[in-house]
Amino acid sequence: MDVKAAPNGVATIEDRILRITGYYGYYPGYSSQKSTSRSSVTRCKPGANCPSSHGGISRQLSPLSVTEDSSAPILELQSRGPSGVCGHRVERQNRAGDDGTQTHPENSSQENRIKARCRSCTSVVLKAVWGLLIILSVSSSWVGTTQIVKITYKNFYCPFFMTWFSTNWNIMFFPVYYSGHLATAQEKQSPMKKFRECSRIFGEDGLTLKLFLKRTAPFSILWTLTNYLYLLALRKLTATDVSALFCCNKAFVFLLSWIVLKDRFMGVRIVAAIMAITGIVMMAYADNFHTDSIIGVAFAVGSASTSALYKVLFKMFLGSANFGEAAHFVSTLGFFNLIFISFTPVILYFTKVEHWSSFAALPWGYLCGMAGLWLAFNILVNVGVVLTYPTLISIGTVLSVPGNAAVDLLKQEVIFNVVRLAATVIICIGFLLMLLPEEWDEITLRFINSLKEKKSEEHVEDLTDPSVHLRSRSRANGTVSIPLA
């Protein structure tokens, strides 16, 4: 029977069945074209000439037209894109490409994270290495300064002249800083421009005569008193005792900051301050409260107190300073000392309080060595804050105590009894407690919790490992056993 063509071009029942079943070789008019193509095929006997067969075969193998003969569906299968097998392969390749484009940013982000971690680890390692070098440099420079003073006292005892002479060397602090700036900075600045930039520590207007007298005078006096009292204490006590007592300045800084600057109260630092005071009393008791011992302890504690007052006032009036501003300020102190305090050694010389026969008789080698090491100590303390962690600089200061103790033992200038040794250890422990950060309790709790979590994870892994081995063995034997919990 004949079926009329539908509006969509489907003419026969076979076409409708093929369309419904979704046969991928179907096209409208497939059945009618198939019947006509079959009717047009002629059978040839073997050996007979079939002139039209070559043309028919060549026409059947042409994939350019989808309305060809019965071989068209097969050719269409090979060339079909969106619905055939090749289309599925292309789609899979496209999906793989899309997945690659999606995973590429993730890979790049992971690489960036790895690079950032490597950079942070490298910076931490560099800071630690610089910190180790600066710790050794700070402690050795401070030990060298103290020991040279003790050697100088054997032939020349003029503590104020030595203090004045060494303070004048602070003038070279800013030239040393500027030399480092020229060697390391990419954008070089002129000396005057750099000097004006660093003078902002005194205010927006820079360094004026009024500010020079107002801000520099009190700090210069405190600087001179700190060093002068330290040198006086070295006359009465050993280098080990004086360096240990000077470490109490950290406790005094905390007490003054708590009272004057209203800093945060910390119980552990109160304990450290109490330990420092206990060490001071024990140090005085080590020589049975001998007169020289008590005076020497008083001088050393006074030096530590003026040093603490200097630091607290600096923080109050000038705030924090970078390396260049600190170099500018210390050089300014040297200029003030040279201009306004030079009359004091002259008065002491003519009153024969500090007298020497001639300038040629002065131990210039020891004096220059002491002043140079003192300047190096001040430079290293300020450089260390830039290159490494400030806590390491303080550790370098406290390491001067065992350094001086080792030198004193080699020189056989000190006999350590139990009381003196205990006092030194207590003061050093109190100094180290002062270095704890404000959030030390929270950091400690986090560290303990992380250790507990690691132990629990290891315990869980230890429990799961035997069960895995047991299951693998039982499966190898053909049976599965579940261990009891």
Side-chain angles (χ1 to χ4, degrees), residues 448-467:
I448 294 173
N449 292 330
S450 63
L451 290 179
K452 289 181 180 179
E453 290 178 357
K454 288 182 180 179
K455 288 182 179 179
S456 62
E457 290 177 358
E458 292 176 357
H459 182 65
V460 171
E461 290 178 357
D462 293 337
L463 291 177
T464 54
D465 288 341
S467 63

Side-chain angles (χ1 to χ4, degrees), residues 96-345:
D98 294 338
D99 295 337
T101 56
Q102 291 177 359
T103 56
H104 181 70
E106 294 179 358
N107 295 330
S108 62
S109 63
Q110 290 179 357
E111 291 178 357
N112 293 331
R113 291 175 184 174
I114 293 172
K115 290 180 181 179
R117 289 179 181 177
C118 292
R119 290 174 183 173
S120 62
C121 293
T122 305
S123 63
V124 169
V125 171
L126 288 176
K127 275 192 172 185
V129 172
W130 278 113
L132 180 61
L133 294 176
I134 290 177
I135 281 175
L136 297 176
S137 302
V138 167
S139 59
S140 60
S141 62
W142 191 243
V143 170
T145 302
T146 306
Q147 295 297 329
I148 288 177
V149 171
K150 294 289 288 185
I151 295 171
T152 308
Y153 277 170
K154 294 180 179 179
N155 299 319
F156 182 77
Y157 179 68
C158 296
F160 193 89
F161 175 80
M162 295 168 66
T163 302
W164 173 82
F165 181 78
S166 61
T167 305
N168 288 335
W169 281 51
N170 289 339
I171 298 174
M172 293 187 290
F173 199 155
F174 186 80
V176 171
Y177 162 74
Y178 186 72
S179 301
H181 165 74
L182 292 178
T184 58
Q186 296 180 353
E187 297 181 359
K188 308 289 189 299
Q189 295 181 2
S190 62
M192 288 303 300
K193 186 176 180 181
K194 196 66 180 176
F195 186 83
R196 291 171 183 171
E197 179 183 345
C198 295
S199 63
R200 292 177 183 175
I201 188 174
F202 294 97
E204 295 296 333
D205 298 332
L207 183 63
T208 60
L209 181 61
K210 181 180 179 181
L211 289 175
F212 176 74
L213 297 175
K214 181 180 179 181
R215 295 291 175 86
T216 310
F219 291 104
S220 180
I221 293 171
L222 289 174
W223 182 286
T224 303
L225 278 176
T226 299
N227 297 335
Y228 180 60
L229 292 174
Y230 188 84
L231 296 184
L232 288 176
L234 287 174
R235 182 68 174 181
K236 304 292 183 180
L237 299 174
T238 62
T240 305
D241 296 342
V242 176
S243 59
L245 290 170
F246 188 76
C247 289
C248 296
N249 69 338
K250 205 75 175 177
F252 298 152
V253 168
F254 164 69
L255 294 175
L256 289 173
S257 300
W258 180 39
I259 296 170
V260 178
L261 301 179
K262 307 299 181 182
D263 282 357
R264 178 184 174 185
F265 174 81
M266 292 181 63
V268 66
R269 293 185 178 177
I270 289 292
V271 173
I274 294 172
M275 293 178 68
I277 296 171
T278 304
I280 292 170
V281 176
M282 292 178 67
M283 193 69 72
Y285 176 74
D287 293 328
N288 295 323
F289 293 102
H290 192 268
T291 304
D292 289 341
S293 178
I294 294 175
I295 294 174
V297 170
F299 285 151
V301 173
S303 177
S305 302
T306 52
S307 175
L309 184 60
Y310 173 92
K311 294 178 180 178
V312 172
L313 291 179
F314 187 92
K315 186 177 180 180
M316 179 185 295
F317 292 107
L318 300 177
S320 59
N322 55 30
F323 184 35
E325 293 173 348
H328 182 282
F329 185 77
V330 175
S331 296
T332 306
L333 293 180
F335 275 110
F336 187 91
N337 179 80
L338 180 63
I339 296 171
F340 294 99
I341 304 182
S342 297
F343 68 91
T344 306

Side-chain angles (χ1 to χ4, degrees), residues 315-484:
K315 186 177 180 180
M316 179 185 295
F317 292 107
L318 300 177
S320 59
N322 55 30
F323 184 35
E325 293 173 348
H328 182 282
F329 185 77
V330 175
S331 296
T332 306
L333 293 180
F335 275 110
F336 187 91
N337 179 80
L338 180 63
I339 296 171
F340 294 99
I341 304 182
S342 297
F343 68 91
T344 306
V346 175
I347 294 174
L348 294 177
Y349 176 79
F350 285 108
T351 57
K352 300 207 177 163
V353 175
E354 293 186 359
H355 185 76
W356 54 90
S357 58
S358 64
F359 283 97
L362 293 177
W364 292 110
Y366 290 130
L367 292 175
C368 292
M370 176 199 66
L373 287 175
W374 221 323
L375 176 64
F377 174 80
N378 293 322
I379 292 175
L380 288 170
V381 168
N382 290 279
V383 170
V385 175
V386 178
L387 295 179
T388 184
Y389 305 99
T391 304
L392 298 180
I393 310 302
S394 301
I395 293 175
T397 304
V398 77
L399 284 180
S400 64
V401 178
N404 281 315
V407 176
D408 289 342
L409 286 174
L410 292 175
K411 293 166 60 178
Q412 296 180 354
E413 291 185 357
V414 62
I415 299 174
F416 283 103
N417 54 23
V418 178
V419 179
R420 178 177 278 108
L421 185 61
T424 304
V425 171
I426 288 173
I427 291 174
C428 292
I429 292 174
F431 183 89
L432 294 176
L433 288 177
M434 286 290 177
L435 300 180
L436 291 175
E438 294 184 356
E439 299 83 7
W440 70 274
D441 50 351
E442 297 179 0
I443 297 173
T444 305
L445 290 176
R446 291 175 186 171
F447 180 72
I448 294 173
N449 292 330
S450 63
L451 290 179
K452 289 181 180 179
E453 290 178 357
K454 288 182 180 179
K455 288 182 179 179
S456 62
E457 290 177 358
E458 292 176 357
H459 182 65
V460 171
E461 290 178 357
D462 293 337
L463 291 177
T464 54
D465 288 341
S467 63
V468 172
H469 292 301
L470 182 59
R471 290 181 181 178
S472 62
R473 290 178 183 175
S474 61
R475 287 176 182 175
N477 295 328
T479 60
V480 177
S481 62
I482 300 175
L484 296 176

